[in-house]
Amino acid sequence: MDTLSQIRSDKIIIVLLLLASMNFMLLGSYLVVATFLLMVMIYGCMDVDATAWLLVAFAFAYVLFTMFQSESSFSSLLRIAIYPIAYIIGLTLSNGMEMRGRCRLIVYISLAMASHSILSFVYNFSQGGLATFSDGRSVDVWSGTLSTATGQASYYYCIVAILPFILYGAHKSYLKVLGVLVYTVCLFHDILLDGRSFLVLSLISVVAGTIIFIVNSDEKRNIWKLLFAILVATVITVICFQNNIGGIRDVYESSYFYHRFFSETASDITETSRWMRKLTYIRNMFNYPFGGNHIRNDLGVGYSHELWLDTFDDAGWTPYILCWAFTIASIRKFWRIIVDKRINVDYKVLIGSFMVTMNAAFFIEPILSGCPMTFMVYCLASGLMSDYSLVSNTDIYLE
């Protein structure tokens, strides 16, 4: 294949991945498969490593144990199959791709994912204004059906994960402005929907990214500039809120988040403890070793709001262990990049905050059932970071 044809093919692959990440027309799983088949046609074969086989084993075990215990549709089985496929896509793309290209792809995918719920936000607002979000739910732009706050906010997790990079790692003005603008819209939408996870993950992301930046940066002056900028932004936000500048306070007090937790009729924030749910799951793990959703349904506990425990309740011990094995393998891949002295601090901030934030999200949401595309993107990113032999000291900024 000549160089021009290769460039065109690569662009098509990237576009397909961006559409899959935003779950375009709810065809995300099919678009991942289409990307894989296109790459097989172009490259002839795909790269596979030990972590890929871990994910293949996980998907096979999950499908096997759930098939015999429930009526699984083709789409639900495909939803699991795309995880090893996404990892293999990332692994194959990483062959010959410099760190700049890999990090740029993660940034663009994060923006693409966020666009799904931003479009839903715009659609719902156009239908009835802020009152549309009064019950914490909104209509999904692609399906036309009601979607929960968790489902909508899950498309924002990746933009939260790269927030530290947006704040002080993006050296191109257009990328910084675009990132801040997208995050602000996401934050506004999330508050209207009472998306508590978004706020918690934002704090985790900023803390993780800041620590990585401070530890790895040789430019101490920039660190103080960063901390001062955060302080100024916080003071300005408080002043605007207290004086209701731009109606910001009215918007907040009309949100579902405010009425649920801070109004006179607000419910107790500790009324339902997710930690008690997790404890119930752990206590019953040996009672239901093959899954079958007995804990969630028969015991009436509901989702554990954790990737691994919900996986256990779905399919039992084998997928649970394999899922943890993949998680640990992925963290090792990300971590060795963070500690590699050859890699620029901006990339370390991006990759480190992405790793920490995404794994934190896995602890607080029903990922495979409520946020399947989030785990797909994580698998893709893990594949992208599997081989980073092409590292250049001059390969510094994203363009």
Side-chain angles (χ1 to χ4, degrees):
M1 181 181 293
D2 59 66
T3 304
L4 182 59
S5 298
Q6 183 66 51
I7 292 173
R8 289 173 177 171
S9 299
D10 290 344
K11 287 183 177 179
I12 294 174
I13 290 170
I14 298 304
V15 169
L16 285 174
L17 287 176
L18 295 179
L19 291 174
S21 301
M22 70 181 295
N23 204 7
F24 179 71
M25 299 298 292
L26 301 185
L27 297 174
S29 297
Y30 297 94
L31 289 167
V32 172
V33 174
T35 305
F36 179 81
L37 294 177
L38 176 61
M39 291 180 66
V40 171
M41 293 173 59
I42 294 173
Y43 298 117
C45 61
M46 304 290 281
D47 295 339
V48 180
D49 63 5
T51 306
W53 287 116
L54 262 180
L55 268 176
V56 169
F58 162 74
F60 178 80
Y62 187 99
V63 170
L64 181 65
F65 282 103
T66 54
M67 280 181 60
F68 289 107
Q69 300 185 75
S70 62
E71 295 183 2
S72 301
S73 64
F74 174 76
S75 60
S76 65
L77 299 180
L78 181 62
R79 171 174 51 85
I80 301 300
I82 65 169
Y83 300 138
I85 292 175
Y87 177 86
I88 293 171
I89 289 174
L91 180 63
T92 304
L93 286 176
S94 71
N95 186 15
M97 183 183 291
E98 291 192 342
M99 188 61 65
R100 175 187 299 178
R102 304 179 199 194
C103 291
R104 182 190 293 119
L105 182 55
I106 291 177
V107 171
Y108 291 163
I109 283 177
S110 300
L111 293 170
M113 281 194 75
S115 68
H116 178 123
S117 288
I118 289 176
L119 289 173
S120 295
F121 168 57
V122 172
Y123 172 78
N124 283 270
F125 185 81
S126 67
Q127 297 299 305
L130 295 177
T132 310
F133 309 96
S134 60
D135 62 352
R137 297 184 297 173
S138 62
V139 175
D140 184 89
V141 67
W142 301 132
S143 67
T145 59
L146 283 176
S147 177
T148 63
T150 297
Q152 292 290 310
S154 67
Y155 289 97
Y156 293 152
Y157 292 163
C158 284
I159 200 71
V160 170
I162 67 168
L163 179 59
F165 173 79
I166 292 172
L167 292 176
Y168 44 86
H171 294 268
K172 294 294 183 178
S173 298
Y174 82 91
L175 192 59
K176 186 181 291 290
V177 172
L178 177 62
V180 170
L181 179 62
V182 170
Y183 177 82
T184 302
V185 174
C186 297
L187 175 62
F188 182 74
H189 184 203
D190 188 76
I191 290 176
L192 290 175
L193 291 175
D194 174 36
R196 292 166 292 173
S197 298
F198 181 96
L199 301 175
V200 173
L201 293 175
S202 294
L203 177 61
I204 292 173
S205 179
V206 170
V207 170
T210 302
I211 291 174
I212 294 171
F213 181 76
I214 291 175
V215 170
N216 291 277
S217 178
D218 294 327
E219 301 178 24
K220 302 304 180 183
R221 178 180 297 181
N222 288 340
I223 295 175
W224 288 111
K225 286 182 178 179
L226 165 66
L227 296 177
F228 179 74
I230 294 175
L231 176 62
V232 170
T234 302
V235 171
I236 292 175
T237 301
V238 171
I239 293 174
C240 289
F241 182 84
Q242 292 294 335
N243 294 278
N244 198 26
I245 297 175
I248 185 173
R249 186 169 184 172
D250 291 338
V251 171
Y252 171 71
E253 292 182 352
S254 66
S255 69
Y256 182 61
F257 179 88
Y258 174 81
H259 285 288
R260 186 174 179 186
F261 296 111
F262 300 105
S263 67
E264 295 179 359
T265 59
S267 58
D268 184 359
I269 196 170
T270 62
E271 182 179 357
T272 302
S273 173
R274 292 185 180 181
W275 294 108
M276 293 304 297
R277 290 189 189 186
K278 295 180 191 295
L279 184 59
T280 301
Y281 267 73
I282 293 172
R283 287 172 174 170
N284 285 276
M285 292 181 76
F286 288 98
N287 295 332
Y288 306 105
F290 302 106
N293 301 130
H294 295 291
I295 302 175
R296 183 170 77 229
N297 296 329
D298 297 351
L299 300 184
V301 177
Y303 288 106
S304 72
H305 287 265
E306 180 187 311
L307 166 66
W308 304 277
L309 288 178
D310 283 327
T311 296
F312 172 83
D313 195 39
D314 288 340
W317 277 104
T318 302
Y320 174 79
I321 294 172
L322 289 170
C323 190
W324 264 115
F326 166 70
T327 305
I328 294 170
S330 295
I331 290 174
R332 289 184 62 188
K333 294 176 188 295
F334 290 122
W335 180 253
R336 67 180 184 175
I337 293 176
I338 297 171
V339 298
D340 193 318
K341 294 182 179 179
R342 298 175 300 165
I343 296 178
N344 184 269
V345 62
D346 296 329
Y347 297 157
K348 292 184 178 184
V349 168
L350 174 67
I351 295 166
S353 61
F354 182 89
M355 175 195 73
V356 172
T357 306
M358 296 299 281
N359 278 281
F362 297 162
F363 270 106
I364 58 179
E365 297 296 356
I367 299 298
L368 297 188
S369 297
C371 324
M373 301 313 294
T374 303
F375 193 57
M376 184 280 291
V377 170
Y378 183 82
C379 293
L380 175 67
S382 178
L384 281 171
M385 298 303 162
S386 292
D387 177 18
Y388 62 101
S389 55
L390 293 177
V391 177
S392 171
N393 290 330
T394 60
D395 185 24
I396 299 176
Y397 305 129
L398 295 188
E399 298 178 347

